Amino acid sequence: MAHPENPFIFGEVVDDLNFVNRTDELAQLERDLTDGQKVFLLSPRRFGKSSLVSVALLRLRKRHIHTVNLTVSSYSSYAQFLEKFAEKVLRAGGSWDRVKDLVKRFVQRVKPEAKVDLATGEITLSLKGAESNPALIAPEVFALPGELSKNAGFRMAICLDEFQQISQFDGGSVENAIRNEVQKQRQVGYVFAGSQPTLMEEMLSAKRPFHKAGPRMFLDKIPANDWKDFIAGHFRKRGRNIDPEALDALMTAADLIPYDVQRIAHELWDYAELRNKREPAASDVTFVVERLVTGQSTYYEADWERLSARQRATLQAIANRGAAEIYSQAVREEFRLGAASTVQKALQSLDTKDILDLYKGNYFFIDPLFALWIKRKGSR
Ligand SMILES: Nc1ncnc2c1ncn2[C@@H]1O[C@H](COP(=O)(O)OP(=O)(O)OP(=O)(O)O)[C@@H](O)[C@H]1O
Ligand SMILES: [Mg+2]
């Protein structure tokens, strides 16, 4: 039997075929974007925002809605971001005929170095002149989707991913500029996706430009049963019958974080292929998880070295006793955490360091394997 490709994918956006659940979220997002809403999509890292958005945009394209997807954190300056935004929006316009009048007007006002390959219609923009004062041309750039959809008579949907990074460009002024323009664009749906919910919440708070600009959507974890069906189904197609306890062990080790579920399932798949395991068991999951943790231990050791004694104790307490118990007197005494207010401070600093994040009011390890490494370390 030829080796089929490993069906478990992590670290890149998953496509429509390998997309687990999220039916409601997908329908909601599709509807909101079609209606020209400005949606704020929030979740901790690696929960599946980018994947959800890319599947939603794919479906919209099938319905002839023109889409643009930009990751804010990919650009090193405000000017470069504006340049790519303008370029991608114009490219989403379709044929050169459709956008040429708009491009001409844009060029007259903003004076970019614009190149158009007339054979392919491919547009390349350079806003070199904008480096010195990008805020000056920002309104023109952010107005483009509205003008384009009006002139060409189609709807658009635009995603700005890693949106929490936008404030690094130009503080409040960029938020203002975007808010002012997008609120005039009834034909254009926007999704602003952001990790680091704390930063995003701040951005949506009163006194900030995006306050009440549109609906918020919090991405939850995907229920364990959907993952189990997905994983067992793939193993079954390969003639392997995965033990229900193995599935439980996998869900626990991954803390139901989509990235980690896929990562461990990927590892288990390779292991089952190599050893030709007909019935992968819980002990096999333990084995591959241990191997993953060991593989990461150099990084974990380095992270650990950089933490204060108080931060380490706090992480040990969460890894061993769970986050819900962290403020209890018993746990504070056991791990010598000090007063509840001290614990609170340690937790916040670990959140800032991107080691912990909040989900439904409780702190959790962004990387669940780090928690396992900490547990292992403590037991030696
Ligand atoms: N609906 C899904 N079905 C299957 N796998 C998923 C799903 N959503 C996420 N994943 C898994 O989680 C990984 C991370 O997803 P994605 O990159 O979309 O998350 P994200 O929230 O955008 O993360 P980041 O905050 O790091 O940008 C994917 O590579 C995939 O392995
Ligand atoms: Mg993402």
Side-chain angles (χ1 to χ4, degrees):
M1 166 155 74
H3 284 282
E5 232 179 282
N6 193 320
F8 303 110
I9 296 160
F10 61 100
E12 45 191 288
V13 293
V14 290
D15 56 28
D16 215 350
L17 281 177
N18 290 298
F19 198 69
V20 178
N21 189 304
R22 301 268 194 242
T23 335
D24 294 345
E25 293 92 336
L26 204 51
Q28 179 76 45
L29 189 57
E30 239 187 288
R31 209 163 36 237
D32 284 350
L33 289 175
T34 310
D35 291 346
Q37 297 260 35
K38 321 300 179 232
V39 183
F40 293 83
L41 178 63
L42 286 76
S43 85
R45 294 214 162 282
R46 298 168 171 180
F47 268 45
K49 295 175 297 297
S50 302
S51 300
L52 175 70
V53 169
S54 83
V55 173
L57 294 186
L58 181 78
R59 294 192 177 182
L60 292 174
R61 277 198 294 283
K62 287 188 182 150
R63 293 168 42 206
H64 311 292
I65 294 175
H66 292 234
T67 70
V68 175
N69 198 349
L70 249 92
T71 303
V72 173
S73 56
S74 308
Y75 308 111
S76 57
S77 69
Y78 193 8
Q80 193 189 32
F81 169 67
L82 291 172
E83 187 173 290
K84 291 298 159 197
F85 184 94
E87 191 174 287
K88 288 201 170 196
V89 168
L90 292 174
R91 282 184 185 177
S95 71
W96 171 241
D97 272 348
R98 246 182 179 162
V99 296
K100 69 176 181 220
D101 291 342
L102 183 67
V103 172
K104 276 181 201 148
R105 266 181 282 141
F106 181 68
V107 169
Q108 275 163 11
R109 286 196 304 255
V110 178
K111 303 199 171 39
E113 289 169 30
K115 278 194 222 108
V116 179
D117 183 334
L118 285 171
T120 61
E122 191 99 315
I123 300 163
T124 319
L125 282 185
S126 163
L127 301 177
K128 284 225 176 58
E131 290 292 351
S132 56
N133 195 356
L136 218 56
I137 61 153
E140 300 279 0
V141 171
F142 294 131
L144 275 176
E147 292 178 29
L148 181 59
S149 68
K150 217 186 299 161
N151 287 358
F154 51 62
R155 290 184 165 271
M156 292 190 86
I158 297 182
C159 169
L160 296 183
D161 204 350
E162 302 291 351
F163 191 63
Q164 77 281 352
Q165 300 275 342
I166 202 93
S167 48
Q168 293 193 350
F169 288 152
D170 198 16
S173 99
V174 57
E175 288 172 39
N176 260 318
I178 298 179
R179 169 78 212 248
N180 284 341
E181 293 307 320
V182 303
Q183 69 185 3
K184 299 178 207 154
Q185 301 171 14
R186 301 273 305 277
Q187 303 278 86
V188 187
Y190 281 84
V191 50
F192 304 102
S195 321
Q196 295 166 291
T198 329
L199 280 181
M200 284 292 281
E201 298 274 6
E202 244 169 65
M203 194 181 281
L204 296 174
S205 63
K207 296 193 188 134
R208 294 280 287 267
F210 283 107
H211 185 58
K212 297 196 169 161
R216 293 183 201 193
M217 194 166 161
F218 290 92
L219 211 51
D220 274 341
K221 291 179 179 176
I222 297 168
N225 282 338
D226 295 312
W227 281 122
K228 290 180 182 178
D229 290 347
F230 172 72
I231 295 168
H234 275 300
F235 274 99
R236 206 177 303 117
K237 268 192 237 150
R238 183 68 180 150
R240 305 191 195 286
N241 193 8
I242 187 166
D243 188 328
E245 281 182 20
L247 287 170
D248 285 331
L250 200 163
M251 298 302 132
T252 308
D255 194 18
L256 280 186
I257 298 171
Y259 176 93
D260 295 280
V261 172
Q262 293 261 21
R263 181 187 189 188
I264 298 169
H266 185 100
E267 202 66 15
L268 186 67
W269 176 276
D270 284 349
Y271 181 72
E273 288 292 314
L274 199 68
R275 306 279 176 103
N276 199 17
K277 296 265 178 191
R278 288 271 150 236
E279 303 197 337
S283 56
D284 297 320
V285 172
T286 310
F287 179 83
V288 298
V289 168
E290 278 300 309
R291 204 167 56 181
L292 279 171
V293 172
T294 306
Q296 296 283 98
S297 57
T298 323
Y299 298 107
Y300 294 155
E301 196 72 56
D303 282 348
W304 191 250
E305 294 289 320
R306 281 192 286 267
L307 299 173
S308 71
R310 187 82 72 186
Q311 290 170 327
R312 290 180 193 173
T314 308
L315 292 180
Q316 278 169 338
I318 298 184
N320 287 288
R321 298 287 174 269
E325 293 301 310
I326 185 84
Y327 292 111
S328 78
Q329 194 173 354
V331 169
R332 281 190 289 119
E333 276 171 13
E334 183 186 353
F335 290 90
R336 300 189 184 85
L337 300 182
S341 59
T342 315
V343 177
Q344 179 67 33
K345 263 189 226 136
L347 291 168
Q348 279 164 352
S349 68
L350 289 161
D351 187 338
T352 313
K353 282 182 181 301
D354 258 351
I355 292 173
L356 300 178
D357 205 343
L358 272 172
Y359 178 66
K360 302 202 165 164
N362 278 327
Y363 282 98
F364 72 100
F365 279 84
I366 291 178
D367 177 356
L369 299 187
F370 189 34
L372 296 177
W373 180 83
I374 290 170
K375 259 171 111 164
R376 188 163 93 181
K377 192 180 174 69
S379 66
R380 271 201 303 251

